[in-house]
Amino acid sequence: LRVFRQQNPDGDWPQWFMFFERERLIRPGDSHGDIVFWPLLALAQYLVATGDTGVLEAPVPFFADDAAQAGPVPLWQHVERALALIQARVIPGTHLAAYGHGDWNDSLQPADPALRERLCSAWTVTLHYQTLTTLAQALGLIGQVAPAAALESMAGEVAADFRRHLLVDGVIAGYAYFGVDGDVDYLLHPRDRRTGLTYSLLPMIHAVINDMLAPDEARQHLALIRQHLRGPDGAHLFDWPMAYRGGPVRIFQRAESSSFFGREIGNMYTHAHLRYAEALWRVGDAEGFCEALSQIVPIDIKAQVAAAAPRQANCSYS
């Protein structure tokens, strides 16, 4: 409920916000394209776990500069407003979420504002699908049959367009740019001729986790990860570092101007590596799952990652 109190009247949330009342006005004016999905997914998972139908009627205001002017409405109206925004923010002619100011990998913020409306992140599409299916499941469990069926139908349209537009030559493209002339450029894919990168970890593992691929397709993508994206320290975001420009960036802001050799350019990132472990678990690869977890446990880490230095117990093991 505290998170939903931070929702903008247009249905979106800011990229980040402050919880304490004295700092309530400290918040950015924009957000990445994935932000609107997370509160809905959290609510859906809460409903699945608890069956708490009363929460949908809880009175919650939208965020307003003057808190005194923010009148409460039932939480379900917040959900409806977010869903309406999600439906409006799609690539023209598709059901695929537009990129906006970025996605989960915030080093890939678009350099050209024009990319925001016509660039699509395959990973954000997997999150869109997961949000719709989980919310449909939740509503079905509490007896809201009609809205659950509507959300299932929307999820089916997203999945169909995911396969039609983003599963190219049997490989998920990290990004697709839909030109006004109808042409589609694929980035972070074997067809990519612009970035120098061929494979992207995030959409592959999340498509596996969310059952968006057939079993043979899931195995094929996990094989690509083993061949091209897995290093001795874990699964890497890309198969190759993003090129450093040293001047005006061309496609992605932070990745092309990163000052250090780390996650920003596509190296191993523990959060994504944990999702890789989850994908291995999802297909029943118990040995691979345990190996992946052991690569990030600090105890005797050099036994798994020979080049690793000793690490304090509470750090993020990247």
Side-chain angles (χ1 to χ4, degrees), residues 40-96:
L40 300 186
L41 179 59
L43 173 64
Q45 292 173 332
Y46 171 78
L47 288 172
V48 169
T50 67
D52 179 13
T53 58
V55 72
L56 297 179
E57 297 301 321
V60 179
F62 289 97
F63 180 84
D65 292 341
D66 182 358
Q69 303 298 319
V73 299
L75 183 67
W76 182 247
Q77 290 190 26
H78 287 255
V79 176
E80 290 180 321
R81 201 165 295 187
L83 288 172
L85 183 71
I86 287 169
Q87 286 186 281
R89 284 182 176 173
V90 294
I91 302 295
T94 77
H95 299 90
L96 302 175

Side-chain angles (χ1 to χ4, degrees), residues 115-126:
L115 292 176
R116 296 170 184 169
E117 282 70 44
R118 293 198 165 271
L119 189 67
C120 175
S121 161
W123 171 79
T124 304
V125 175
T126 68

